[in-house]
Structure formats: C-alpha cells, structure tokens
C-alpha cells in the first residue's frame, strides 16, 4: 500500500494494472490499460496490482497542482 504524498498522476504505457483505492466511496478496484491515467489527490492510499501476471509499464508523477487548475 502506498500513500500519495502530493497530487499524483498514474499513466499506463503497456500492460494492464488494477488500481486499488480502499477508501474510495465508489468501486474500490479500477482496471487501467495503456493510455489510461488516474489522478490521486494528496493523501490517497492506493496500490497497483498486476492481476494477470503479464507485467506492465507505467509512469507516476507527483507535485503540486497550480491553484485554480481544472482537469
């Protein structure tokens, strides 16, 4: 389990991962495939799982989002 220390973006480039968000008020598991991205607010607990066992590549970036920015 990890905790996003700042606003965080996950971006999958290859393979399939499952993003587990245990404290999310909707579905806790999210399938993310190539070209999918996920935004995690600061303090979000999460984990990434390779359920199929085929491996995956992804980028994780974090930092502060400028005030007033809208997705």
């Amino acid at each position: 389990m990890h905790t996003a220390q700042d606003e965080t973006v996950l971006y999958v480039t290859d393979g399939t991962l499952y993003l587990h968000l245990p404290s999310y008020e909707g579905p806790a598991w999210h399938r993310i495939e190539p070209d999918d991205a996920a935004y995690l607010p600061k303090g979000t607990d999460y984990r990434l799982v390779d359920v199929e066992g085929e491996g995956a590549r992804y980028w994780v970036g974090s930092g502060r989002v400028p005030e007033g920015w809208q997705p």
Side-chain angles (χ1 to χ4, degrees):
M1 189 66 64
H2 301 280
T3 301
Q5 300 301 312
D6 260 321
E7 286 86 0
T8 300
V9 173
L10 302 168
Y11 177 76
V12 176
T13 59
D14 295 296
T16 300
L17 292 170
Y18 286 80
L19 173 62
H20 182 223
L21 302 169
S23 61
Y24 184 63
E25 292 184 13
W29 288 92
H30 303 272
R31 181 182 170 111
I32 50 179
E33 300 176 326
D35 296 325
D36 286 344
Y39 168 76
L40 304 172
K42 180 180 180 179
T44 301
D45 291 325
Y46 71 97
R47 71 177 153 174
L48 294 170
V49 180
D50 176 11
V51 173
E52 282 101 23
E54 296 182 11
R57 289 190 175 115
Y58 62 95
W59 293 90
V60 177
S62 62
R64 304 214 190 286
V65 174
E67 188 174 326
W69 180 82
Q70 294 292 318

